[in-house]
């Protein structure tokens, strides 16, 4: 049997500042019709690096408010305290969009679905000071409904230690044959089972709280995070992509759940996005033994997750 040599590590490209999101979303939308996704396609082998990233305390406070986290510092603009568990994803999202909106990224940005997220926080991340952040595409994998890409974000301390890291999978739907045992390129990504296949989601978890989500939830989160994808902002723009109303950001749903659930300082969190949350709407938050979930009317499952101490 012929062994496959390991892929070369991504080449680092240093950015002076975080990219602006709006032009990247526009570029990705324009290039999407020409993309032909498949698991064995070439993908960008670049690691984008922001060596001296600083947190804007006012934007952080807006994020904390819309997601339900305690507001950092006495006024929300002091730069004190630690970042919420999900906030480094927001810091890295513009760099991730720069990679995923490029010509060399094989999946179309339009219609790309965030399917899962895994975060490991090794210790609390202070708001103040500088942080080193990097983002790269780890690989592609076959999925029963198309092709998934895994995007890795790493946050480092000024001394270079990894303090926070995440892996997000994004699905491009297209016709496909039966999934193979492993992806032709990149790292293997476990397939997320459908709810009816997963014993862990067969019965609802005990309900802890119910939340009434306003129609402006997507706009408020978009303003705080910078992610102004049109499917989250207004019913008219959401209908262009096949949704009857605007939908909540997946990252808002997991952040809101973690704000309610809580997490230890050193922790790994896994979340699987099952179905979109329509706005406005009512959802129930359930939790037990480190597991959590978000359900809608008729017990429709929107999100499942697990919190595990490291």
């Amino acid at each position: 049997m012929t062994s496959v040599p390991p892929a070369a590590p991504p080449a680092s490209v240093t950015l002076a500042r975080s990219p602006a999101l709006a032009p990247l979303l526009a570029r990705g939308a324009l290039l999407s019709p020409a993309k032909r996704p498949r698991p064995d396609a070439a993908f960008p082998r670049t690691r984008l690096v922001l060596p001296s990233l600083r947190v804007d305390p006012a934007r952080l406070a807006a994020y904390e408010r819309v997601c339900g986290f305690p507001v950092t510092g006495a006024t929300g603009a002091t730069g004190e305290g630690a970042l919420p568990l999900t906030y480094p994803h927001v810091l890295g999202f513009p760099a991730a969009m720069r990679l995923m909106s490029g010509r060399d990224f094989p999946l179309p940005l339009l219609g790309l679905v965030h399917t899962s997220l895994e975060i490991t926080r090794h210790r609390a991340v202070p708001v103040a000071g500088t942080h080193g952040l990097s983002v790269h595409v780890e690989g592609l994998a076959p999925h029963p409904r198309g092709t998934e890409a895994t995007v890795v974000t790493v946050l480092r301390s000024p001394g270079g230690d990894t303090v926070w890291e995440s892996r997000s999978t994004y699905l491009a739907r297209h016709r496909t044959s039966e999934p193979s045992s492993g992806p032709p390129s990149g790292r293997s990504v476990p397939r997320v089972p459908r709810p009816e296949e997963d014993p862990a989601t067969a019965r609802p978890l005990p309900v802890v709280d119910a939340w009434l989500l306003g129609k402006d939830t997507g706009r408020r989160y978009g303003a705080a995070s910078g992610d102004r994808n049109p499917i989250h902002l207004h019913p008219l723009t959401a209908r262009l992509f096949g949704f009857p109303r605007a939908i909540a950001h997946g990252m808002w749903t997991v952040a809101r759940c973690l704000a309610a659930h809580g997490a230890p300082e050193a922790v790994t969190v896994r979340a699987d996005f099952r179905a979109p949350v329509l706005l406005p709407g009512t959802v129930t938050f359930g939790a037990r033994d480190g597991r959590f979930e978000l359900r809608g009317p008729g017990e429709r499952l929107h999100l499942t997750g697990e919190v595990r101490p490291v």
Side-chain angles (χ1 to χ4, degrees):
M1 181 176 178
T2 304
S3 61
V4 178
S12 293
V13 173
T14 300
L15 304 179
R17 63 183 62 86
S18 189
L21 268 173
L24 297 177
L25 291 171
R27 180 178 72 171
L30 289 173
L31 293 175
S32 287
K35 301 291 182 74
R36 298 294 180 265
R38 64 181 194 277
D40 60 346
F43 58 90
R45 305 281 183 168
T46 303
R47 176 184 282 109
L48 299 181
V49 178
L50 289 158
S52 301
L53 193 65
R54 288 186 178 272
V55 173
D56 180 338
R59 286 194 65 182
L60 172 61
Y63 175 88
E64 290 167 330
R65 290 188 186 98
V66 73
C67 295
F69 291 104
V71 176
T72 304
T75 65
T78 64
E80 299 173 357
L83 295 179
L85 179 57
T86 48
Y87 197 68
H89 176 93
V90 174
L91 297 176
F93 189 66
M97 280 296 100
R98 174 163 163 171
L99 289 174
M100 292 193 287
S101 65
R103 292 183 182 277
D104 55 350
F105 185 72
L107 310 187
L109 195 61
L110 286 182
L112 204 61
V113 179
H114 197 178
T115 50
S116 75
L117 170 72
E118 184 171 288
I119 293 173
T120 297
R121 181 174 65 189
H122 301 280
R123 62 176 184 266
V125 182
V127 174
T130 60
H131 310 280
L133 185 141
S134 67
V135 178
H136 70 276
V137 179
E138 189 174 61
L140 306 179
H143 185 280
R145 297 182 181 180
T147 298
E148 275 187 332
T150 300
V151 179
V152 176
T153 303
V154 177
L155 196 71
R156 292 183 172 85
S157 69
D161 296 330
T162 297
V163 294
W164 184 101
E165 53 192 318
S166 74
R167 281 178 170 78
S168 283
T169 58
Y170 297 91
L171 171 66
R173 293 189 179 98
H174 59 86
R175 289 186 178 183
T176 182
S177 58
E178 288 296 316
S180 64
S181 59
S185 66
R187 175 181 173 137
S188 176
V189 178
R191 182 175 72 86
V192 177
R194 292 186 292 274
E196 63 272 18
E197 300 173 330
D198 189 352
T201 62
R203 294 182 180 179
L205 296 174
V207 174
V208 176
D209 204 353
W211 302 323
L212 177 62
L213 311 183
K215 63 182 180 181
D216 65 341
T217 301
R219 292 191 290 274
R220 291 175 60 218
Y221 181 83
S225 67
D227 183 0
R228 292 183 172 88
N229 188 318
I231 63 175
H232 304 301
L233 305 181
H234 195 276
L236 292 178
T237 52
R239 285 179 196 136
L240 296 175
F241 299 92
F243 296 101
R245 304 196 300 275
I247 65 172
H249 295 71
M251 283 305 302
W252 178 86
T253 63
V254 69
R256 184 67 186 89
C257 288
L258 289 170
H261 187 281
E265 181 175 314
V267 66
T268 292
V269 172
R270 166 79 187 197
D272 295 308
F273 304 103
R274 306 279 185 165
V277 176
L278 295 174
L279 300 172
T282 301
V283 293
T284 58
F285 168 68
R288 182 175 58 198
D289 300 330
R291 291 167 49 216
F292 62 88
E293 66 183 21
L294 202 65
R295 290 183 183 263
E299 296 187 351
R300 187 186 190 194
L301 190 60
H302 295 295
L303 171 76
T304 60
E306 184 178 12
V307 176
R308 303 189 304 272
V310 174

